[in-house]
Amino acid sequence: MKVLIVGSGAREHALAWKIRSSPLVKELYIAPGNVGMARLGHRVPIDPSSIVELADFAASIKIDLTVIGPELPLTLGIADEFQKRDLAIFGASKAAAEIEGSKVFAKEFMAKHKIPTADYEVASTPAQARAFLKKRKDGYPVVLKADGLAGGKGVVVAKDKKEADQAIEAMLVERRFGSAADRVVIEECLSGREASFFALSDGQRVLPLVTCQDYKRLQDADAGPNTGGMGGYSPSVHIDAETFKDIMEGILKPTVAGLAEAGRPYRGVLYVGLMLTDDGPRVLEFNARFGDPEAELIVVRMKSDLVPVLQATLAERLDEVAIEWLKARSVAVVLAAGGYPGEHASGNKISGIEAADALEGVQVFHAGTQVKEGAFVTAGGRVLAVTAVGGSFAEAAGRCYGGAEAITFEGKHFRKDIARDALEAMSHKV
Ligand code: AMP
Ligand code: GLY
């Protein structure tokens, strides 16, 4: 069969690597992909937001399955456009993807279905937002979230009134996020540990994938600014069997049932960002896509062929598949360019990718790279996601850092403490 993957980051490289290994796949296309994927398939120069053009392309060469990486095409309605033309697509419909695309929709949905999440209010004017803050009993910190997609920058955890006022100014007065902040969610700040949970849904059933831990802050010990993710590991050591069950029963199943009931059946991957509080797991956010680097962490642990699983998801046959996992742990470390997440240099020569890739258990997925004069060079803030599997967290982390050290480029920086909490948790167990 012919498969098309939409997106261009390390997440899509990981999906391409896994899908390419399927004996069912004869031809792989990636729109637009990146230079690291060139060996896996044909790159097609269409932007992920050009959903009609993508459907035209898929129809013209009779693509059998299209897999969507990023959220933007989903919220633009790519799944609806493909379905209209009878083209098979793995990705949530526009109506279902609203669970990620609108935080107001997600909060109202959770309130209605009693899915545990932080208490909240919705403000659409600066005066309303200030009034909510004034009457809050819990004071600070408080969390302010732009309703729509804001490139990961639309959430502010304000530690005092001054920071909350600044966020209100930015979102509702200066309108820095445009219409994405027409409405702002003001919510209770939860404390605990964050973790993420991935599941597939065919509209009715839920098939859990795995849990992951990601590290969003730039520096070790969670210091520095938030980023698109500096690494992660899987499975999360903070989700035990009981919590897993609570998440399936109290969050995933009612979410999928509620969306079906609302006429927005969810077919695709559902990514739940959680806060594990003393009172149990609470939803911080839903995403309608695989995470990055979580996709990398998931595919390297997966023994089963991914393609039939994706097909079963869209054919509403998830009851017919079971996924086999390797008895393995995975760890991913993102190698970032100097200056990331701010302004960063590009065009710096990268060496050692092949040496790292050749290490046992290591896969190097490209995010921001280009080829210049026959060599890989940096071309983005997040340059590479070095991913490794191992029989234990210690083995996976050792391999991953071996790979991360083997690669060099000017300005390279990465967190040194990815999976440290997993290693510590393991050392307490006898
Ligand atoms: P979100 O995009 O909604 O997941 O928010 C991004 C990040 O903001 C999360 O990963 C958390 O670190 C933080 N955050 C969001 N909501 C809350 C909350 N209610 N309480 C504490 N931290 C939060
Ligand atoms: N790892 C966070 C994300 O994909 O949003």
Side-chain angles (χ1 to χ4, degrees), residues 380-395:
R382 292 144 65 87
V383 180
L384 297 160
V386 182
T387 310
V389 280
S392 63
F393 282 117
E395 187 175 55

Side-chain angles (χ1 to χ4, degrees), residues 171-354:
M171 292 182 192
L172 288 163
V173 182
E174 290 167 25
R175 307 196 48 85
R176 225 175 277 167
F177 304 105
S179 61
D182 278 349
R183 293 182 294 173
V184 172
V185 172
I186 299 178
E187 71 177 35
E188 168 199 11
C189 187
L190 299 171
S191 52
R193 196 183 275 275
E194 286 183 51
S196 41
F197 192 107
F198 289 82
L200 295 173
S201 169
D202 62 4
Q204 293 178 53
R205 303 170 195 85
V206 185
L207 184 67
L209 291 172
V210 297
T211 60
C212 297
Q213 243 4 88
D214 80 336
Y215 293 69
K216 289 204 180 84
R217 298 297 191 106
L218 182 68
Q219 289 151 5
D220 286 9
D222 289 335
N226 255 319
T227 71
M230 295 302 289
Y233 70 84
S234 176
S236 166
V237 297
H238 307 293
I239 298 182
D240 57 18
E242 195 185 329
T243 311
F244 190 97
K245 200 170 143 240
D246 284 351
I247 297 167
M248 276 300 284
E249 299 302 320
I251 296 172
L252 264 309
K253 288 185 182 173
T255 298
V256 165
L259 286 169
E261 190 188 298
R264 303 172 186 247
Y266 194 95
R267 277 180 223 101
V269 59
L270 191 55
Y271 160 173
V272 194
L274 298 157
M275 186 71 88
L276 307 173
T277 73
D278 291 341
D279 304 319
R282 299 280 180 274
V283 177
L284 291 179
E285 63 164 344
F286 287 110
N287 292 304
R289 54 176 173 81
F290 285 108
D292 191 351
E294 291 89 336
E296 294 90 299
L297 295 168
I298 294 171
V299 296
V300 296
R301 290 184 57 208
M302 199 174 202
K303 189 170 176 192
S304 302
D305 185 346
L306 178 61
V307 174
V309 177
L310 300 180
Q311 287 177 306
T313 306
L314 50 115
E316 304 182 9
R317 293 190 281 103
L318 265 186
D319 52 330
E320 293 172 19
V321 296
I323 303 176
E324 246 192 290
W325 299 95
L326 297 171
K327 285 198 175 32
R329 309 284 180 243
S330 56
V331 177
V333 171
V334 171
L335 305 185
Y340 176 79
E343 289 282 309
H344 46 265
S346 62
N348 288 327
K349 187 166 182 288
I350 310 170
S351 339
I353 295 180
E354 278 187 18

Side-chain angles (χ1 to χ4, degrees), residues 75 97-107 146-149 183:
T75 56
E98 213 174 345
I99 198 95
E100 168 166 9
S102 166
K103 294 198 187 275
V104 173
F105 171 76
K107 294 300 285 190
D147 177 41
L149 297 182
R183 293 182 294 173

